[in-house]
Amino acid sequence: EKLLALLLCAMLCLPVLALAESAVDTYTVDFDDFTLTLTEYDVIQRASTKVSDQLLAMVYVNYDESNATHDNFNIVWCDYDNTSSITTFPSAEAYGEELLKANVAAMESVGFTVSNAKLLHARAEGPIAAFTYVTDVDYSALGLDLVLSQYQMQVFYTLDANNSYVFTFSSATMEGLEALAAYMDAIDFK
């Protein structure tokens, strides 16, 4: 939906790069409530069933198995309005700070060391909310000698009181995150 992409551009104050119409082949993946356009270089893993608060799909963008890190995004479906709790906070920024704390706690609970967590942008308007943040993550818990910055954007999109989605985009660079944001323009809600 073009409106969603325009709103994200305004929220993030970042240039959003559209999927280029070039020699790259694209294909469409159909979900119950939307379709998603991917390129031939993207790899998608999908859950066999849609279960609330569980991973519905994981997409590795321009996947190259020789890279140590992979820009990616995941999609989680919720059987409730995932933006309604934002109104219980004094501002979108306050909600974003709590969201960031919860994300850091989740990473630390599985053994990652997280530092320098910072909320970069927060915006909520109607059925859409977006939060962008950066953290430094030590991946020693996975047996990797790797510490790097992780840029993330979470977009909450509510269709109705019993149906919403969370899209989480992750990259090792801000430029990579900006490119990932273009995939919101590749989502067409039905």
Side-chain angles (χ1 to χ4, degrees):
E1 187 172 293
K2 300 293 181 194
L3 176 61
L4 179 59
L6 291 173
L7 181 58
L8 286 173
C9 287
M11 286 189 288
L12 298 175
C13 299
L14 298 172
V16 175
L17 306 172
L19 289 175
E21 292 185 23
S22 62
V24 176
D25 287 333
T26 62
Y27 63 98
T28 301
V29 180
D30 189 25
F31 293 86
D32 288 342
D33 298 310
F34 63 92
T35 59
L36 169 65
T37 301
L38 300 174
T39 75
E40 64 185 311
Y41 302 111
D42 301 333
V43 174
I44 185 169
Q45 297 173 326
R46 266 182 93 167
S48 56
T49 58
K50 187 166 94 169
V51 178
S52 185
D53 294 319
Q54 293 188 14
L55 192 66
L56 177 61
M58 183 77 180
V59 178
Y60 297 94
V61 176
N62 293 320
Y63 183 77
D64 180 350
E65 67 181 37
S66 66
N67 291 340
T69 63
H70 305 284
D71 287 357
N72 64 77
F73 65 95
N74 67 57
I75 304 166
V76 172
W77 173 73
C78 307
D79 62 0
Y80 52 88
D81 176 347
N82 64 13
T83 57
S84 63
S85 62
I86 295 172
T87 60
T88 64
F89 286 80
S91 66
E93 290 78 12
Y95 183 85
E97 290 291 348
E98 288 302 312
L99 179 63
L100 177 56
K101 286 179 193 174
N103 288 338
V104 168
M107 287 189 286
E108 291 176 340
S109 73
V110 294
F112 296 114
T113 303
V114 181
S115 59
N116 302 320
K118 182 178 179 183
L119 178 68
L120 301 175
H121 299 284
R123 180 84 184 244
E125 188 171 318
I128 303 170
F131 305 93
T132 306
Y133 41 85
V134 62
T135 55
D136 292 333
V137 182
D138 182 340
Y139 289 88
S140 301
L142 293 178
L144 299 172
D145 185 21
L146 181 65
V147 178
L148 50 85
S149 294
Q150 181 173 342
Y151 293 85
Q152 285 194 322
M153 176 177 66
Q154 287 191 294
V155 178
F156 296 76
Y157 191 92
T158 298
L159 296 171
D160 59 52
N162 301 308
N163 197 16
S164 57
Y165 290 88
V166 180
F167 301 88
T168 303
F169 300 87
S170 301
S171 179
T173 66
M174 181 56 97
E175 293 79 16
L177 188 63
E178 291 173 12
L180 286 173
Y183 280 84
M184 285 307 299
D185 196 33
I187 296 170
D188 288 317
F189 282 92
K190 298 177 181 177

